[in-house]
C-alpha cells in the first residue's frame, strides 16, 4: 500500500496502535525516521509497553532490540560516569544538579527510558563553577575548545562552560550555571532553581546530586528545545511530551507551570512546548492550560510565522519525511535560534567568525 | 523467481535500473537485506563482478540498511568527480574521489554493520570455518590477514568475513557475513596468481589504504551464510618478508588482551563485553604466527586445525 | 616485616565495578568504572579476588591462596607494588 509516511514516527510514538497494518515500506520509514532522530530506543520502549512487540516483524524487532541494548549500555555508562563525577565533585560542598537526559534517567522518568545520551549536563552555582571544572580536570576530563575565541565565547556569553571530554573514555560533560544563555535577555533565578531542586540517589555516589522540580524540569526542557538550534527537534519534543504526561498526575503541577515560568521570565518557550507537544504527540493538556497557551501565543505578532518555521523542525531528517521546503524553513530557524540567544550586535560578529573559521577548516 | 534469484541473473541494464530505483537494489547480506542505490557506473560494475552470486531479496521484504552512493552534482560531475556515501540519508563520511566509489561502498557497509551489531562483540578479524569450527584471525591492517583469508577461502575454507568477527553476546557463536575480501597493494596480484577461480573487481588507486581491490567470495560460503559457527581457534598473524614460519601457542590472558586491542565495540559493551570476551577466549586455542609466504603457513595452519578440531 | 604493616588492611577503589578472570598465563581485570582492562600476574589476580569481597590484610590473602605465594612477605611486597600502581590502597 502507499500512504504518506512523513509523520510515521510521531504518530507511532503518540499511539503505538498506529503500526497495526504496517507493510515493509511503512516499517522502513518508521525505523529510518527513528534512527535519524535518535528515537529508536524510545520507539522500542513505547511498542514494548503497549504490548505490541509480538506484532512487529522479526526483521524489524531485531533493530528495536538492538536499540534497547544500546540504550541499556548508555544508561550503565551514565551511572558509571556519575559515580566518577560524584567523587570528583564531592569536595565542592554544594549540590550538583543533573539536567536533561541524565536527570530523566537518574530519576527513573519515562523520558529517560532507553534514551541515548550524547553528553552529561550538570549545573552548579556560578560561584563554584570554576572549582567544579577543576575537579573534573583532576579526574581526567580535558577542555575541548582550546581556541581563545571559543573559550571567551562560552565564558562570557553562554550559560555553560566549554564542554570537557574525558581523555580515555571520551565522555563529554557540559557544566552549566543557569538554564538559558544570559545574552538571551531572559534571566531565570538560578539560585532559586538550585535551592528548590530535589535530591536524587545515584548508586555509589555521595549525597550530592539534585534534579530540578517537575515544573522547572519542563521549563528547562522547553528552553533547551526552543532556544536551541532545533536540530533534534522531534527528540527534544518527545522528552517534553513524556515529562508533561508523567507529571500531569502530580498535585498542583498544571496550576504551577505557567505562573512559575512567568516568574523566571520563561513563559514563551513553555507555551510553545505545550502547543507543539499537543499538536505533534497529542499530549493530554487540561483545557484551561491549553486555552491560555493558545491565547497568549496568538497575541504575539510573530506567532504564525514562528509556528510555521518550528513545524518544519518536527519532521525527522529522513528521506521519507524531509523535503526541500522543510529544509529551507529549518535554515531560517537556525538563524532564529541565534538571535533568540544573543542581541544582534553580538550575534553578527559571532556568525561571521564561525562562517570564516568553518570555511577555513574545510579548505584545510 | 523473485527471492531465489541472484545478482548474476540480472542483465547490466536491469542491475543499473534497480540501483537507480527509489528502493534500490535489494540484496541479501548474511541475515540482513541491504538496499543499495547508486547512479555511479563503477559501483554497478563492482557489484556485478563481486556480488554476482549474492541472492536478491524480495521487494516486499523489510530493508535493514538503505545505503546510497551518489556522485556530486554540478561542475563536480565533470571535474574531479566525487563519491558520497549515505545511510538513511545521513552522510557519515566526507566524500572521496569518484574512482574510489566502489571501495567506499564496501567501507560504508563495514561501518553500517559495525554500528548496528549490538548483539555481538565485534573484533577486527578475518573469520573462516572448517569442519564446523571457526578460525578467527585478528590483526591490525598490514599484517597480511586478508591475503591469508583469501588464500584459505580459495582452498575451500568457508568464509564468514574478512573484516568483522561478530561473536554473539547471547550464544558465543560467530555470525557469518560473507562479503568481498578486501585486498591491498601487492596482495592483489599475489591472490590473482593463487587460483584461476579468484575473481578480482575494480581497482582503486591512491586510496587512504593504498591500492585497493576486492575478491569475489566463494559461492559455497554464500550458500551457508545463515549458519552460525562455534569459534575454536584464534590466530594473530604477522607477515614479514622472508620471515621463517613460526607458530606458537599464546596464553589465554595474553590472547584476551590482544583481542581487546583489535575490538571495535569492546569498550562500549562494559561488563557484558568483558564476559563475552572471556567466554570466547575460554572456547578457543590461541596462536601467534610469523610467516613469510602463504606456502609456509597454510599447511601448518591446516595441520593445527585438523589436529585439534 | 613489622607487625603493623602485616595488619594493614588493603582495599580496591571500587570493588563493585571490578570483574576478574584467571588463566594460567595471567589474570585479566576489568574496571567498569574506569572502563579499563589490564592483565596481571596470577598472584595479583588472586589478591584482587580476595579484595573484591572485602578489604583484607596480607595474612588473610595469604591464607586464602597458600598455593599462589611462597610466603607472607611475597604477598606484602605484591600489595605494596599494586598500591604504587593505584590498583589497591590502604583501607585505614
Amino acid at each position: 500500500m502507499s500512504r504518506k509516511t512523513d509523520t510515521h514516527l510521531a504518530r507511532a510514538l503518540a499511539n503505538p496502535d498506529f503500526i497495526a497494518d504496517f507493510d515493509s515500506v511503512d516499517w522502513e520509514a518508521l525505523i529510518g525516521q527513528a534512527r535519524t532522530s535518535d528515537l529508536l530506543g524510545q520507539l522500542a520502549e513505547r511498542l514494548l509497553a503497549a504490548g505490541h512487540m509480538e506484532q512487529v516483524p522479526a526483521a524489524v524487532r531485531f533493530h528495536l532490540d538492538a536499540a534497547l541494548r544500546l540504550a541499556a549500555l548508555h544508561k550503565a555508562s551514565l551511572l558509571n560516569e556519575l559515580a566518577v563525577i560524584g567523587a570528583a565533585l564531592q569536595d565542592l560542598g554544594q549540590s550538583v544538579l543533573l539536567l536533561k537526559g541524565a536527570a530523566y534517567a537518574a530519576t527513573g522518568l519515562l523520558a529517560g527510558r532507553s534514551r541515548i545520551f550524547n553528553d552529561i549536563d550538570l549545573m552548579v552555582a556560578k560561584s563554584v563553577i570554576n572549582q567544579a571544572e577543576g575537579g573534573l580536570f583532576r579526574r581526567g576530563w580535558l577542555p575541548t575548545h582550546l581556541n581563545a575565541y571559543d573559550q571567551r565565547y562560552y565564558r562570557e556569553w553562554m550559560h555553560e562552560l566549554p564542554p570537557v571530554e574525558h581523555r580515555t573514555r571520551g565522555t563529554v560533560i557540559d557544566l552549566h550555571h543557569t538554564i538559558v544563555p544570559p545574552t538571551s535577555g531572559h534571566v531565570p533565578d538560578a539560585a532559586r532553581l538550585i535551592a528548590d531542586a530535589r535530591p536524587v540517589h545515584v548508586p555509589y555516589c555521595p549525597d550530592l546530586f539534585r534534579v530540578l522540580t517537575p515544573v522547572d524540569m519542563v521549563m528547562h526542557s522547553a528552553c533547551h528545545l526552543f532556544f536551541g538550534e532545533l536540530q533534534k527537534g522531534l527528540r527534544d519534543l518527545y522528552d517534553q511530551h513524556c515529562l508533561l504526561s508523567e507529571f500531569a498526575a502530580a498535585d498542583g503541577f498544571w496550576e504551577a507551570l505557567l505562573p512559575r515560568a512567568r516568574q523566571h521570565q520563561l513563559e514563551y518557550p513553555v507555551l510553545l512546548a505545550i502547543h507543539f507537544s499537543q499538536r505533534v504527540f497529542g499530549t493530554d493538556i487540561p483545557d484551561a492550560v491549553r486555552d491560555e497557551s493558545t491565547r497568549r501565543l496568538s497575541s504575539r505578532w510573530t506567532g504564525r510565522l514562528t509556528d510555521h518555521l518550528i513545524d518544519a523542525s518536527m519532521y525527522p531528517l529522513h528521506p521519507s519525511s524531509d523535503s526541500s521546503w522543510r529544509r529551507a524553513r529549518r535554515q531560517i530557524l537556525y538563524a532564529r535560534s541565534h538571535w533568540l540567544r544573543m542581541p544582534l550586535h553580538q550575534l553578527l560578529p559571532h556568525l561571521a567568525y564561525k562562517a570564516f573559521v568553518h570555511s577555513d577548516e574545510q579548505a584545510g | 523467481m523473485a527471492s531465489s534469484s541472484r545478482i548474476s541473473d540480472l542483465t547490466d541494464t536491469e542491475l543499473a535500473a534497480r540501483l537507480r530505483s527509489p528502493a534500490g537494489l535489494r540484496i541479501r547480506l548474511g541475515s540482513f537485506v541491504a538496499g543499495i542505490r547508486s547512479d555511479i557506473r563503477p559501483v554497478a560494475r563492482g557489484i556485478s563482478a563481486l556480488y554476482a552470486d549474492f541472492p536478491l531479496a524480495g521487494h516486499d521484504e523489510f530493508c535493514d540498511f538503505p545505503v546510497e552512493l551518489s556522485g556530486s552534482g554540478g561542475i563536480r560531475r565533470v571535474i574531479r568527480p566525487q563519491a558520497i556515501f549515505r545511510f538513511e540519508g545521513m552522510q557519515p563520511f566526507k566524500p572521496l574521489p569518484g574512482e574510489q566509489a566502489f571501495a567506499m561502498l564496501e567501507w560504508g557497509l563495514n561501518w553500517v554493520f559495525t554500528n548496528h551489531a549490538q548483539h555481538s562483540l565485534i573484533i577486527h578479524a578475518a573469520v573462516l570455518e572448517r569442519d564446523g569450527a571457526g578460525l578467527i584471525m585478528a590483526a591490525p591492517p598490514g599484517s597480511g590477514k586478508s591475503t591469508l583469508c583469501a588464500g584459505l577461502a580459495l582452498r575451500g575454507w568457508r568464509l564468514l568475513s574478512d573484516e568483522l568477527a561478530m561473536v554473539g553476546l547471547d550464544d558465543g557463536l560467530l555470525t557469518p557475513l560473507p562479503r568481498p575480501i578486501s585486498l591491498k597493494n601487492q596482495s592483489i596480484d599475489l591472490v590473482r596468481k593463487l587460483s584461476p577461480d579468484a575473481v578480482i573487481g575494480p581497482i582503486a588507486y591512491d586510496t587512504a589504504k593504498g591500492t585497493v581491490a576486492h575478491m569475489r567470495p566463494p559461492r559455497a560460503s554464500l550458500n551457508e551464510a545463515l549458519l552460525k559457527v562455534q569459534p575454536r581457534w584464534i590466530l594473530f598473524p604477522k607477515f614479514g618478508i622472508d620471515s621463517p614460519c613460526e607458530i606458537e601457542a599464546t596464553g589465554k590472558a595474553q590472547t584476551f588482551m590482544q583481542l581487546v586491542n583489535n575490538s571495535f565495540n569492546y569498550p562500549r559493551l562494559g561488563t557484558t563485553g568483558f564476559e563475552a570476551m572471556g567466554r570466547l577466549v575460554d572456547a578457543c586455542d590461541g596462536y601467534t604466527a610469523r610467516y613469510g609466504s602463504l606456502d609456509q603457513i597454510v599447511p601448518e595452519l591446516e595441520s593445527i586445525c585438523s589436529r585439534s578440531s | 616485616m613489622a607487625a603493623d604493616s602485616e595488619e594493614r588492611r588493603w582495599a580496591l577503589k571500587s570493588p563493585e565495578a571490578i570483574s576478574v578472570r584467571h588463566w594460567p598465563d595471567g589474570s585479566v581485570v576489568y574496571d567498569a568504572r574506569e572502563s579499563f582492562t589490564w592483565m596481571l600476574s596470577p598472584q595479583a589476580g588472586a589478591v584482587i579476588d580476595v579484595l573484591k569481597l572485602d578489604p583484607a590484610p596480607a595474612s588473610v590473602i595469604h591464607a586464602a591462596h597458600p598455593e599462589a605465594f611462597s610466603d607472607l612477605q611475597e604477598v606484602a611486597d605484591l600489595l605494596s607494588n599494586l598500591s604504587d600502581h593505584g590498583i589497591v590502597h590502604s583501607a585505614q
Side-chain angles (χ1 to χ4, degrees):
Chain A
M1 76 181 276
S2 73
R3 59 171 130 186
K4 261 174 86 80
T5 54
D6 60 349
T7 56
H8 267 27
L9 177 58
R11 294 172 71 171
L13 287 170
N15 175 15
D17 297 346
F18 180 62
I19 62 144
D21 56 348
F22 264 25
D23 63 16
S24 62
V25 175
D26 294 310
W27 284 115
E28 283 168 21
L30 180 65
I31 297 298
Q33 292 175 17
R35 279 175 177 161
T36 49
S37 310
D38 277 354
L39 277 166
L40 196 55
Q42 281 105 317
L43 174 67
E45 195 67 52
R46 192 82 176 95
L47 295 176
L48 202 58
H52 287 354
M53 270 308 193
E54 293 303 307
Q55 296 177 41
V56 179
V60 178
R61 215 183 310 145
F62 174 87
H63 297 289
L64 294 172
D65 185 57
L68 291 174
R69 286 171 182 249
L70 184 67
L73 294 177
H74 275 243
K75 170 91 187 273
S77 152
L78 171 74
L79 292 177
N80 269 320
E81 294 302 326
L82 289 181
V84 181
I85 294 167
L89 299 184
Q90 64 181 338
D91 296 337
L92 216 53
Q94 297 215 19
S95 35
V96 175
L97 271 63
L98 305 178
L99 299 178
K100 295 192 274 191
Y104 311 152
T107 323
L109 291 172
L110 203 62
R113 229 169 278 167
S114 293
R115 190 181 187 278
I116 297 298
F117 307 95
N118 296 317
D119 38 28
I120 299 173
D121 294 282
L122 306 176
M123 175 169 156
V124 295
K126 196 171 184 183
S127 56
V128 294
I129 197 164
N130 289 331
Q131 197 187 332
E133 190 185 36
L136 294 174
F137 287 163
R138 280 191 291 282
R139 289 286 175 145
W141 276 276
L142 301 171
T144 51
H145 291 62
L146 292 171
N147 140 350
Y149 177 87
D150 285 345
Q151 282 286 337
R152 219 189 94 205
Y153 168 73
Y154 274 98
R155 286 174 198 274
E156 286 187 9
W157 293 342
M158 295 310 285
H159 53 309
E160 60 192 325
L161 297 186
V164 292
E165 182 175 356
H166 196 275
R167 73 189 147 79
T168 56
R169 299 192 297 277
T171 47
V172 174
I173 300 175
D174 290 331
L175 204 49
H176 303 243
H177 56 80
T178 183
I179 58 175
V180 287
T183 47
S184 68
H186 303 260
V187 188
D189 184 346
R192 172 118 191 244
L193 294 172
I194 294 174
D196 290 344
R198 300 171 174 190
V200 57
H201 173 70
V202 180
Y204 307 111
C205 282
D207 173 30
L208 177 75
F209 292 117
R210 305 282 182 272
V211 293
L212 295 168
T213 64
V215 165
D216 292 348
M217 209 183 266
V218 167
M219 205 166 69
H220 176 229
S221 169
C223 292
H224 171 69
L225 172 54
F226 292 107
F227 289 155
E229 291 163 3
L230 284 138
Q231 305 243 326
K232 291 271 180 233
L234 196 64
R235 200 275 297 262
D236 293 344
L237 189 68
Y238 187 65
D239 282 349
Q240 195 65 254
H241 167 66
C242 292
L243 293 177
L244 291 173
S245 307
E246 193 165 13
F247 293 152
D251 251 1
F253 171 76
W254 289 111
E255 292 75 9
L257 183 58
L258 287 176
R260 173 86 168 181
R262 260 193 301 275
Q263 268 172 28
H264 282 283
Q265 304 183 15
L266 294 172
E267 185 185 37
Y268 180 46
V270 174
L271 293 173
L272 288 174
I274 291 171
H275 174 71
F276 276 97
S277 177
Q278 216 251 336
R279 183 200 287 176
V280 175
F281 294 112
T283 316
D284 204 0
I285 314 276
D287 291 345
V289 178
R290 198 186 51 212
D291 293 347
E292 189 181 351
S293 312
T294 312
R295 199 173 58 244
R296 299 185 73 86
L297 280 177
S298 57
S299 70
R300 298 175 75 98
W301 69 272
T302 53
R304 271 171 175 274
L305 175 63
T306 309
D307 190 277
H308 189 60
L309 292 178
I310 291 177
D311 180 73
S313 68
M314 296 304 166
Y315 291 86
L317 303 180
H318 186 258
S320 67
S321 57
D322 205 11
S323 69
S324 46
W325 176 224
R326 283 181 189 143
R327 273 194 294 277
R329 284 185 286 163
R330 276 200 310 274
Q331 289 289 322
I332 305 176
L333 206 60
Y334 178 78
R336 167 193 171 275
S337 74
H338 281 90
W339 85 62
L340 281 179
R341 284 187 296 184
M342 239 187 222
L344 274 183
H345 73 271
Q346 287 171 349
L347 172 64
L348 292 179
H350 173 64
L351 288 180
Y353 176 83
K354 281 289 160 195
F356 176 73
V357 169
H358 190 62
S359 53
D360 212 40
E361 277 169 359
Q362 275 186 339
Chain B
M1 148 125 194
S3 66
S4 59
S5 56
R6 298 178 187 252
I7 300 248
S8 55
D9 298 331
L10 301 175
T11 65
D12 286 352
T13 321
E14 284 168 339
L15 178 65
R18 290 209 187 181
L19 283 168
R20 284 165 193 269
S21 70
L25 173 73
R26 296 292 173 100
I27 176 176
R28 209 176 282 291
L29 301 176
S31 59
F32 300 105
V33 174
I36 305 172
R37 294 183 63 195
S38 184
D39 56 358
I40 301 181
R41 230 173 292 133
V43 170
R45 275 204 299 275
I47 289 177
S48 120
L50 297 169
Y51 283 88
D53 298 327
F54 280 70
L56 292 165
H59 281 294
D60 48 354
E61 279 181 81
F62 175 75
C63 169
D64 295 273
F65 303 119
V67 299
E68 184 183 355
L69 237 110
S70 55
S72 41
I75 190 79
R76 269 291 169 113
R77 200 167 271 286
V78 194
I79 302 167
R80 284 179 57 199
Q82 288 189 317
I84 298 166
F85 176 84
R86 287 194 184 83
F87 167 68
E88 297 279 25
M90 298 177 282
Q91 207 181 308
F93 319 109
K94 289 187 173 159
L96 286 179
E99 57 274 17
Q100 299 180 20
F102 180 75
M104 193 181 198
L105 171 65
E106 289 300 306
W107 297 331
L109 286 171
N110 286 342
W111 175 85
V112 166
F113 284 112
T114 8
N115 275 280
H116 290 86
Q118 312 299 345
H119 298 75
S120 306
L121 172 68
I122 314 166
I123 297 159
H124 190 206
V127 191
L128 299 118
E129 174 258 356
R130 211 171 94 142
D131 302 330
L135 164 67
I136 297 172
M137 300 194 293
S143 41
K145 154 180 74 82
S146 286
T147 321
L148 183 51
C149 173
L152 293 172
L154 288 168
R155 286 180 56 88
W157 287 66
R158 160 152 76 114
L159 173 73
L160 276 78
S161 172
D162 83 315
E163 282 279 341
L164 306 172
M166 301 201 292
V167 185
L169 294 174
D170 300 332
D171 58 14
L173 300 179
L174 293 160
T175 301
L177 192 64
R179 289 188 25 233
I181 299 175
S182 155
L183 301 170
K184 273 163 279 178
N185 305 323
Q186 305 90 315
S187 69
I188 300 171
D189 270 341
L190 202 154
V191 169
R192 211 192 288 277
K193 284 178 200 143
L194 276 183
S195 157
D197 300 338
V199 178
I200 311 278
I203 296 183
Y205 299 94
D206 300 323
T207 77
K209 310 179 183 199
T211 303
V212 170
H214 292 79
M215 181 185 110
R216 183 196 286 187
R219 184 165 177 150
S221 303
L222 301 178
N223 292 341
E224 298 192 318
L226 295 178
L227 289 180
K228 293 189 182 186
V229 174
Q230 172 65 49
R232 182 71 188 82
W233 308 283
I234 294 164
L235 180 79
F236 301 106
K238 186 107 192 68
F239 171 82
I241 295 167
D242 298 332
S243 167
C245 186
E246 294 167 354
I247 301 188
E248 48 188 58
T250 305
K252 289 187 188 291
Q254 198 63 252
T255 301
F256 189 114
M257 296 307 287
Q258 288 205 53
L259 289 177
V260 165
N261 290 334
N262 285 288
S263 171
F264 287 110
N265 66 344
Y266 172 83
R268 260 192 292 160
L269 289 171
T271 309
T272 316
F274 176 82
E275 295 300 336
M277 193 69 93
R279 272 199 308 276
L280 172 65
V281 167
D282 271 335
C284 293
D285 296 333
Y287 297 93
T288 303
R290 290 172 196 287
Y291 66 102
S293 78
L294 290 187
D295 297 343
Q296 302 168 326
I297 185 165
V298 168
E300 288 271 346
L301 203 52
E302 293 192 332
S303 130
I304 287 177
C305 293
S306 40
R307 193 162 65 225
S308 54
S309 110
Chain C
M1 188 93 234
D4 65 345
S5 76
E6 274 171 34
E7 283 315 299
R8 181 192 290 171
R9 291 163 72 247
W10 295 89
L12 295 170
K13 198 162 61 183
S14 33
E16 71 285 349
I18 299 288
S19 308
V20 56
R21 276 196 178 240
H22 308 285
W23 287 289
D25 64 323
S27 296
V28 178
V29 182
Y30 176 69
D31 181 344
R33 195 77 82 233
E34 303 287 343
S35 185
F36 195 69
T37 307
W38 69 96
M39 183 175 159
L40 296 173
S41 67
Q43 284 99 331
V47 170
I48 305 282
D49 246 359
V50 175
L51 297 186
K52 227 182 103 52
L53 302 175
D54 260 320
S59 57
V60 169
I61 296 168
H62 187 223
H65 291 277
E67 77 293 344
F69 305 97
S70 51
D71 58 16
L72 188 55
Q73 185 59 47
E74 198 184 348
V75 185
D77 291 348
L78 179 57
L79 280 164
S80 132
N81 197 336
L82 290 171
S83 159
D84 290 344
H85 285 86
I87 296 169
V88 303
H89 62 89
S90 173
Q92 278 140 5

